[in-house]
């Protein structure tokens, strides 16, 4: 397939590996922030191609993984209301809440529909006027513009029964928080599809304030290997900067129209991340102008108290200081078909990706 | 859910496009792109039902050109491996 096959060329991957080996002298830890990278790195066996000086660690970039148990519990509370239909991306329904999951609630009769796009949720709202349709808005800057577009559409069409429960988040505060916390990282593989929307400017502070490079990377093995090479070159020559490897998609200025829509509908708020706690201005809240479509404002529910799962180390894993193998529950008590923690649910989660490709 | 795929635009109807990925066909909203940015035959990146960017053919070719330089090297390596009956990697 065009734009895919040519970036899976084994020979090229091998050549990049050779080049990295040639120039790498310092021991470095490079963090891939994006869950999509975690998945392709495991899938294509990239760690085995790297010299012992280059270590890859996964970061907090899987939206399902960083979402709080409290969010799932509140979604479960919504789905128990007789007049509510929940529309959600498939990944979320298996995430354990404190005492249930959306999947279990669905088996008990709750109306929960899996959608591929928020636009499908709009259709459900149009076809079920007597019900409240709550779309579970998770994801970073790549996914949030879709939610914004849907809210604008619903507002213009007077579709009053369409609501978004937003857990949308933005990436840079988490990337900075990790460094502030003292997690040892020497450079970031920047999230390619977040950057497609935001452009490169959101990372400028990272080289400036922290002296670390960011290379915005694509997702095929050739992309990832080339990005690692670019980062190693930056580190070896001591010139940290923001660079784009994924130029066929990411423009320095990003997608301006999507940025405008985000700005129109959402405003920043402090938000909680698994592993990192509450980070300032890291979440996206629906603005007052659109509050008639904000589930949090418009639909009242009582939410059960949050209980965190015992033994799960998703938090430290998302910070890159532990690996899935360090978890006692990994692969035994906790598996993709019966996940204990959120990192084992989505195939972008570290535990699930590691389980699928490394056992 | 975060995966995005490059798809070829086959048809444009108002604000949406019918696109092909491999052998499957998808409908994608063009609402996140500026009007007239995309033409039939272009490739776009689709994420959760929205085209979020047009793929840049020129940039893609540029990158691959650099890769092609590597390709010559690749062939040399293959030859070397054959001649010495070794594995370089
Ligand atoms: S293996 Fe399961 S329980 Fe352990 S950290 Fe991963 S998700 Fe949590």
């Amino acid at each position: 397939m065009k734009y895919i096959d040519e970036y899976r060329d084994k020979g090229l991957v091998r050549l990049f590996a050779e080049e990295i080996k040639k120039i790498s002298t310092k021991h470095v830890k490079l963090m891939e922030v994006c869950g999509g990278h975690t998945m392709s790195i495991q899938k294509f066996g990239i760690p085995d191609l790297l010299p012992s000086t280059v270590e890859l660690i996964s970061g907090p970039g899987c939206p399902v993984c960083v979402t709080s148990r409290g969010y799932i519990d509140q979604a479960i509370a919504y789905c128990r209301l007789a007049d509510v239909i929940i529309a959600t991306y498939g990944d979320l329904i298996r995430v354990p809440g404190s005492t249930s999951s959306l999947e279990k609630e669905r088996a008990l009769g709750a109306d929960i529909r899996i959608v591929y796009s928020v636009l499908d949720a709009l259709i459900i709202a149009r076809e079920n006027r007597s019900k409240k349709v709550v779309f579970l808005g998770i994801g970073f800057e790549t996914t949030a513009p879709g939610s914004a577009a849907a809210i604008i559409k619903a507002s213009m069409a007077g579709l009053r029964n369409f609501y978004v429960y937003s857990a949308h988040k933005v990436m840079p505060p988490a990337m900075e928080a990790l460094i502030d916390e003292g997690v040892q990282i020497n450079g970031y593989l920047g999230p390619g599809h977040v950057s497609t929307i935001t452009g490169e400017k959101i990372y400028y502070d990272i080289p400036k304030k922290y002296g670390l490079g960011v290379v915005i990377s694509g997702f095929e093995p050739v992309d990832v290997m080339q990005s690692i090479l670019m980062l190693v070159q930056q580190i070896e020559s001591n010139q940290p900067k923001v660079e784009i490897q994924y130029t066929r998609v990411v423009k320095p200025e990003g997608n301006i129209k999507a940025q405008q829509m985000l700005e129109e509908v959402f405003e920043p708020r402090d938000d909680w991340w698994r592993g990192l706690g509450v980070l300032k201005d890291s979440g996206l809240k629906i603005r007052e102008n659109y509050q008639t479509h904000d589930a949090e404002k418009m639909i009242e529910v009582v939410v059960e108290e949050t209980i965190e799962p015992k033994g799960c180390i998703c938090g430290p894993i998302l910070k890159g200081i532990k690996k899935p193998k360090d978890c006692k529950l990994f692969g035994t008590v906790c598996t993709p078909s019966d996940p204990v923690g959120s990192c084992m649910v989505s195939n972008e989660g570290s535990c699930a990706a590691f389980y699928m490709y490394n056992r | 859910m975060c995966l995005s795929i490059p798809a070829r635009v086959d048809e444009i109807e108002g604000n949406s496009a019918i696109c092909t990925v491999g052998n499957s066909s998808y409908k994608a909203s063009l609402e996140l792109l500026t009007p007239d940015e995309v033409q039939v035959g272009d490739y776009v990146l689709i994420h959760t039902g929205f085209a979020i960017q047009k793929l840049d053919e020129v940039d893609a070719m540029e990158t691959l050109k650099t890769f092609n330089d590597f390709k010559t090297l690749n062939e040399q390596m293959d030859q070397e491996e054959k001649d010495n009956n070794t594995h370089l990697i």
Side-chain angles (χ1 to χ4, degrees):
Chain A
M1 278 187 286
K2 196 172 170 191
Y3 293 116
I4 293 185
D5 292 344
E6 56 274 44
Y7 297 94
R8 291 194 178 169
D9 184 309
K10 275 206 191 94
L12 292 177
V13 170
R14 201 181 66 166
L15 280 155
F16 277 119
E18 192 68 1
E19 197 63 25
I20 294 167
K21 212 178 270 173
K22 221 187 285 166
I23 67 159
S24 167
T25 63
K26 299 179 189 161
H27 191 106
V28 292
K29 286 187 177 185
L30 309 178
M31 177 175 271
E32 86 270 4
V33 232
C34 168
H37 284 144
T38 304
M39 195 171 89
S40 58
I41 285 167
Q42 295 302 334
K43 182 168 163 192
F44 298 112
I46 293 200
D48 294 340
L49 302 172
L50 298 174
S52 57
T53 41
V54 180
E55 195 185 328
L56 295 180
I57 49 178
S58 311
C62 147
V64 176
C65 304
V66 293
T67 300
S68 72
R69 214 154 238 232
Y71 179 85
I72 302 293
D73 289 340
Q74 185 155 338
I76 289 171
Y78 286 135
C79 86
R80 287 174 176 162
L81 301 175
D83 60 344
V84 164
I85 300 174
I86 296 282
T88 175
Y89 298 126
D91 281 349
L92 261 192
I93 82 158
R94 288 186 310 114
V95 181
S98 294
T99 58
S100 182
S101 70
L102 290 165
E103 192 173 42
K104 285 182 189 151
E105 295 297 317
R106 189 162 70 162
L108 293 171
D111 196 345
I112 296 168
R113 319 236 182 134
I114 292 176
V115 293
Y116 161 67
S117 166
V118 64
L119 298 172
D120 302 332
L122 278 182
I123 296 172
I124 297 171
R126 209 169 287 136
E127 288 169 355
N128 295 273
R129 297 269 182 176
S130 62
K131 293 279 176 92
K132 296 174 174 146
V133 174
V134 178
F135 174 74
L136 304 182
I138 64 159
F140 302 110
E141 290 97 325
T142 328
T143 321
S147 296
I151 289 173
I152 294 172
K153 270 175 104 125
S155 162
M156 282 179 8
L159 203 58
R160 300 194 64 110
N161 64 329
F162 173 79
Y163 304 86
V164 172
Y165 176 28
S166 170
H168 287 303
K169 289 178 166 57
V170 293
M171 217 60 250
M175 291 168 72
E176 295 196 10
L178 282 168
I179 315 173
D180 285 335
E181 271 202 29
V183 177
Q184 285 303 317
I185 313 168
N186 305 93
Y188 274 121
L189 280 181
H193 294 148
V194 162
S195 315
T196 304
I197 302 294
T198 63
E200 62 177 16
K201 60 183 180 298
I202 63 165
Y203 310 111
Y204 285 165
D205 265 0
I206 294 175
K208 212 163 64 194
K209 259 170 68 184
Y210 302 95
L212 293 190
V214 179
V215 172
I216 298 166
S217 174
F219 295 83
E220 299 302 332
V222 167
D223 292 321
V224 175
M225 290 301 281
Q226 188 182 29
S227 300
I228 293 172
L229 177 61
M230 289 163 81
L231 269 177
V232 171
Q233 277 164 341
Q234 285 190 15
I235 296 166
E236 293 292 336
S237 62
N238 207 4
Q239 288 176 318
K241 53 182 173 245
V242 178
E243 285 186 283
I244 306 175
Q245 177 276 334
Y246 198 23
T247 50
R248 63 188 181 281
V249 173
V250 178
K251 304 292 145 231
E253 70 283 6
N255 177 336
I256 307 261
K257 185 162 176 211
Q259 290 168 25
Q260 285 165 348
M261 282 187 163
L262 273 181
E263 180 64 27
E264 163 77 17
V265 174
F266 291 109
E267 61 187 336
R269 69 169 159 195
D270 300 350
D271 202 354
W272 186 94
W273 296 57
R274 183 173 308 286
L276 294 170
V278 175
L279 303 180
K280 194 167 173 11
D281 290 342
S282 65
L284 294 176
K285 172 179 178 260
I286 298 169
R287 286 186 192 275
E288 218 172 285
N289 273 348
Y290 292 97
Q291 69 173 356
T292 48
H293 298 286
D294 185 350
E296 285 173 90
K297 286 266 170 58
M298 307 303 291
I299 309 175
E300 232 175 272
V301 272
V302 184
V303 184
E304 63 185 316
E305 205 185 315
T306 313
I307 311 167
E308 291 294 340
K310 281 209 184 72
C312 172
I313 56 163
C314 272
I317 288 175
L318 288 163
K319 282 204 284 202
I321 54 179
K322 287 260 166 70
K323 305 242 167 177
K325 278 269 180 209
D326 298 329
C327 175
K328 288 200 186 74
L329 310 182
F330 178 83
T332 53
V333 178
C334 180
T335 59
S337 54
D338 194 10
V340 173
S342 53
C343 304
M344 189 57 101
V345 178
S346 154
N347 47 18
E348 291 152 21
S350 292
C351 296
F354 198 78
Y355 185 92
M356 255 188 295
Y357 300 112
N358 273 293
R359 283 181 334 127
Chain B
M1 58 166 279
C2 284
L3 275 190
S4 311
I5 30 174
R8 194 189 61 234
V9 175
D10 291 335
E11 255 176 73
I12 296 177
E13 285 167 19
N15 246 339
S16 19
I18 312 288
C19 306
T20 306
V21 185
N23 294 324
S24 338
S25 140
Y26 283 95
K27 195 169 170 188
S29 162
L30 298 176
E31 283 155 284
L32 296 181
L33 300 178
T34 36
D36 303 326
E37 193 176 341
V38 176
Q39 317 290 333
V40 168
D42 285 342
Y43 278 73
V44 291
L45 196 72
I46 305 182
H47 175 78
T48 64
F50 291 88
I52 58 170
Q53 189 61 271
K54 181 170 129 178
L55 272 89
D56 193 319
E57 181 114 38
V58 177
D59 273 326
M61 293 307 283
E62 264 308 296
T63 328
L64 285 173
K65 206 176 112 239
T66 338
F67 293 167
N68 276 332
D69 299 343
F70 271 115
K71 248 182 183 148
T72 333
L73 238 151
N74 196 18
E75 281 155 18
Q76 280 171 14
M77 273 172 75
D78 281 343
Q79 195 54 43
E80 233 171 278
E81 278 187 342
K82 241 204 217 146
D83 293 349
N84 305 328
N85 203 10
T86 51
H87 278 290
L88 294 177
I89 300 176

